[in-house]
Amino acid sequence: MVQYNEYLADTYLTEVATPVLAAERSDDGDTWVAVRRNIFHPQGGGQPADRGRLGECEVVPFRDSARGLVMVRARQEDGLEGLAEGDIVHTSVDAGLRLLHAALHTAGHLVEAAGRTEGWALAGSIHFPGQARIEFTPPEAGADLADAEDRDKAADRLRAFVAAMVADDLPVTVDHDAEGLRIVRLGDLHAAPCGGTHVRSLGDLTEVTISGVKVKKGRVRVSYAAAHGPLA
Ligand SMILES: [Zn+2]
């Protein structure tokens, strides 16, 4: 049962007609559907799930790790019953939300790259709208960030770095390493294993802001926001 996760190949593909790969009814009466050409990003890797539709039905995607498939279920009352393997369905995702998620996720990698220039190591990332942040482990538990003034200076350095890279419009590319791991690259600046959606190049980002640098429980927390610029 082969599913093609189109969201990994093309962030900007937001609708497609595709056959149903599997449709089944769970014990609690919900219908779960997987489609062959899957454009739905399920929640994972710090990125929220896409909002989408299968036919007229609003759906929520999720990962069924046991079977290695992305499935969808109806957001509210069931609207997926009656579907069978091989049926052709029209699928779509909320394009504005997709682009926002891709912008936040890409900006997260950029903030991570900026943090590395400070000597910090990545400890965690959340790319959700309104609460996006990257957490780092500093070399000496943030001793050099004890003062607010030092944290403000660090935030300014991060902002300058991020602005310069966006101005350089570094390309965002994807390849696979020897183990088959998907690697996302920002030019030659940064590489990270990642299964999220990203913009085409850093020039697609707009309104990249770093609200501040905090130290919490030995971690450096950098909160940020970003949006997708107008599509050319
Ligand atoms: Zn990513």
Side-chain angles (χ1 to χ4, degrees), residues 140-164:
E140 289 166 48
D144 54 342
L145 295 171
D147 297 335
E149 195 184 332
D150 293 328
R151 294 192 294 275
D152 288 346
K153 281 182 184 162
D156 282 341
R157 288 194 298 273
L158 297 178
R159 289 180 187 116
F161 182 91
V162 162

Side-chain angles (χ1 to χ4, degrees), residues 71-84:
M71 315 279 288
V72 298
R73 61 177 173 75
R75 178 171 282 278
Q76 282 148 1
E77 75 278 19
D78 210 349
L80 299 174
E81 60 279 269
L83 287 170

Side-chain angles (χ1 to χ4, degrees), residues 47 105-106 109 127 182 184 192-198:
Q47 183 176 329
H105 197 139
T106 310
H109 288 299
H127 309 293
R182 181 175 188 254
V184 172
C194 185
T197 59
H198 307 87

